[in-house]
Amino acid sequence: MAVAVICEFNPFHNGHKYLIDTVKRLTHEPVLAVMSGSFVQRGEAAVCSKFERAETALKNGADLVVELPAAYAVSCAQRFAQGGVSIAKSFGDVDKLAFGCEADSLDDLKAAANALENPEVNSRVTEKMSAGAYYPHAFESAVREVLGDEIADVLTSPNNILAVEYIRALRDSGIEPFSVKRTGVSHDSDIIEGDFVSASKLREMLRRGEPMSRFAPEVPKSITYPENLERAILFKLRTMTAEDFGRLPEVSEGLEYRFANAVSEYNSLEEILFAVKTKRYTLARLRRIICCAALGISEELQLRKSEYARVLGFTDEGEKLLKSCSYEIVTSVAKTMRAGGKNVVFLRRDILATDLAALAYKSVKPCGSDYRTKIIRYNCK
């Protein structure tokens, strides 16, 4: 059997290694990593190449790395979890899904997941959102009122929120949730604690040229700078109408008109974001919408189910895992694109994401690396 992890590894750091090492120590099973590719959930290019991140993961305990399609990688927590779990479920050998969290109890996470189906909680969420609250705060507040502080406190951490969505997505799958208490610092923390820092702090250090080898098994060879994509994304936004914005994920209640007006009036992404933002919409959600606009990811596409596992790399144990996969296994992007089929529409966005991210490096990377880069074969013996 095997354990799956759904991840970004943006970049791979000591906390990620701790998670994989803990899973392997406790289960003695190979690890499948379903990893975001060239763009991540925060709505920006990954800090370094998906191929480099996959290789680092394989060197540090992962046995098979497959790509989470871009359509899900830049989505809200619920769709991110559903997309990753769908791929994990396609591997018949996977019987556990491991994740890091701040919660002390898996039971508390399960109770928080059940709260999403609680009629009284949902009624109060609707009331709070009608009054202008945005969903994460409305949900946490409603749970606190109906179920108490202990369950609501679970929902104050981004990692716990994602864990709750994993648990929901795993229902009736035959795969058990496997929680690992995070060590070191919390998500997006600016604090350094021992040999651990958050991924956001690590990205900041990398982009400032500060030493980071103490906090990660390997230092990325070449990194992206989000600001380098601003003009390319602005160009894309300026080609779009309100109707085009209306087709994007998470756009509703006239948000498309706010976007269209802001794009016509302002000259930077930051100005556009703050012109569009209201109490109901988080900046993270708005950044994801802009990212989806740049990558041509519609609401309709994000709600569809992909059925492929694009392989980035594997060990000898990971190669055995591939035999249990019921989805189309993509080992050659060129062959899959030529053959066509229902997965091409997703794969095309993955390729575009890599080509767009290539513009974010200090020295622009060539186009087409998804076609040219070979699968990483790592022998850990």
Side-chain angles (χ1 to χ4, degrees):
M1 304 308 287
V3 183
V5 295
I6 302 168
C7 51
E8 291 185 329
F9 295 156
N10 186 38
F12 191 97
H13 56 61
N14 290 347
H16 298 132
K17 181 168 174 54
Y18 172 81
L19 172 64
I20 293 176
D21 287 348
T22 300
V23 166
K24 299 195 89 164
R25 175 173 55 82
L26 294 177
T27 69
H28 306 287
E29 295 176 359
V31 170
L32 160 69
V34 182
M35 188 187 77
S36 298
S38 299
F39 276 76
V40 294
Q41 201 186 19
R42 63 190 296 112
E44 67 180 32
V47 73
C48 62
S49 157
K50 61 188 177 188
F51 306 108
E52 184 174 0
R53 284 153 46 227
E55 183 171 14
T56 301
L58 292 169
K59 289 179 179 178
N60 288 278
D63 292 285
L64 172 62
V65 183
V66 300
E67 183 173 358
L68 178 66
Y72 309 133
V74 296
S75 65
C76 64
Q78 181 183 20
R79 296 176 186 178
F80 180 93
Q82 289 172 341
V85 167
S86 174
I87 294 172
K89 285 165 56 178
S90 74
F91 285 83
D93 286 347
V94 169
D95 64 346
K96 300 178 190 69
L97 177 75
F99 47 81
C101 62
E102 276 80 20
D104 292 313
S105 167
L106 182 59
D107 287 339
D108 286 347
L109 291 171
K110 290 179 177 178
N114 290 335
L116 287 158
E117 278 77 46
N118 185 300
E120 188 175 353
V121 168
N122 287 328
S123 175
R124 297 197 186 195
V125 168
T126 301
E127 291 175 7
K128 293 175 187 298
M129 291 186 69
S130 297
Y134 67 93
Y135 181 77
H137 283 176
F139 180 58
E140 179 196 330
S141 177
V143 170
R144 195 172 299 279
E145 291 170 6
V146 176
L147 301 175
D149 291 342
E150 186 175 1
I151 303 304
D153 286 346
V154 169
L155 300 168
T156 60
S157 158
N159 285 298
N160 286 350
I161 291 170
L162 200 49
V164 165
E165 293 296 347
Y166 291 147
I167 290 168
R168 290 182 72 202
L170 286 173
R171 285 175 181 161
D172 301 319
S173 68
I175 298 175
E176 291 296 319
F178 186 100
S179 63
V180 176
K181 183 74 180 290
R182 281 170 59 93
T183 187
V185 299
S186 59
H187 180 85
D188 278 347
S189 171
D190 200 44
I191 297 170
I192 294 175
E193 186 174 311
D195 292 334
F196 295 92
V197 295
S198 67
S200 59
K201 179 65 175 177
L202 209 50
R203 290 190 295 273
E204 178 186 311
M205 294 171 69
L206 277 168
R207 286 163 176 156
R208 288 180 177 177
E210 298 173 7
M212 57 150 281
S213 56
R214 168 182 157 195
F215 309 108
E218 292 193 28
V219 178
K221 300 178 183 66
S222 184
I223 63 171
T224 62
Y225 296 83
E227 61 270 22
N228 290 349
L229 293 182
E230 180 152 11
R231 290 194 177 189
I233 294 173
L234 283 172
F235 169 75
K236 174 62 177 180
L237 297 181
R238 289 183 177 190
T239 69
M240 296 176 66
T241 64
E243 290 73 21
D244 294 327
F245 283 109
R247 297 186 190 96
L248 298 175
E250 301 186 79
V251 172
S252 60
E253 300 171 326
L255 188 60
E256 62 268 36
Y257 299 105
R258 293 180 65 86
F259 262 113
N261 291 336
V263 168
S264 67
E265 186 172 351
Y266 297 103
N267 300 323
S268 73
L269 293 180
E270 183 176 7
E271 289 175 317
I272 291 168
L273 284 167
F274 281 95
V276 173
K277 189 182 184 315
T278 67
K279 286 193 298 182
R280 184 182 289 271
Y281 304 110
T282 64
L283 282 174
R285 177 175 174 176
L286 299 178
R287 288 192 186 100
R288 288 196 300 269
I289 291 170
I290 287 177
C291 186
C292 286
L295 297 175
I297 296 169
S298 65
E299 172 82 354
E300 184 272 334
L301 179 64
Q302 206 172 78
L303 291 176
R304 285 171 58 181
K305 183 181 178 182
S306 68
E307 294 186 3
Y308 68 103
R310 194 279 170 90
V311 181
L312 297 178
F314 52 76
T315 65
D316 292 342
E317 281 296 313
E319 188 172 17
K320 296 174 188 175
L321 269 181
L322 285 171
K323 297 175 183 177
S324 75
C325 185
S326 61
Y327 278 1
E328 177 183 6
I329 296 173
V330 177
T331 55
S332 168
V333 168
K335 287 182 181 178
T336 302
M337 293 299 289
R338 283 197 301 270
K342 60 184 177 182
N343 292 317
V344 164
V345 65
F346 286 97
L347 194 57
R348 187 174 290 122
R349 299 307 185 281
D350 300 341
I351 296 165
L352 175 59
T354 301
D355 288 342
L356 181 58
L359 304 177
Y361 295 87
K362 280 190 175 178
S363 297
V364 172
K365 303 283 187 183
C367 204
S369 63
D370 270 305
Y371 290 94
R372 294 190 306 272
T373 307
K374 293 181 179 179
I375 290 173
I376 302 153
R377 297 171 182 264
Y378 181 71
N379 189 339
C380 54
K381 294 180 181 179

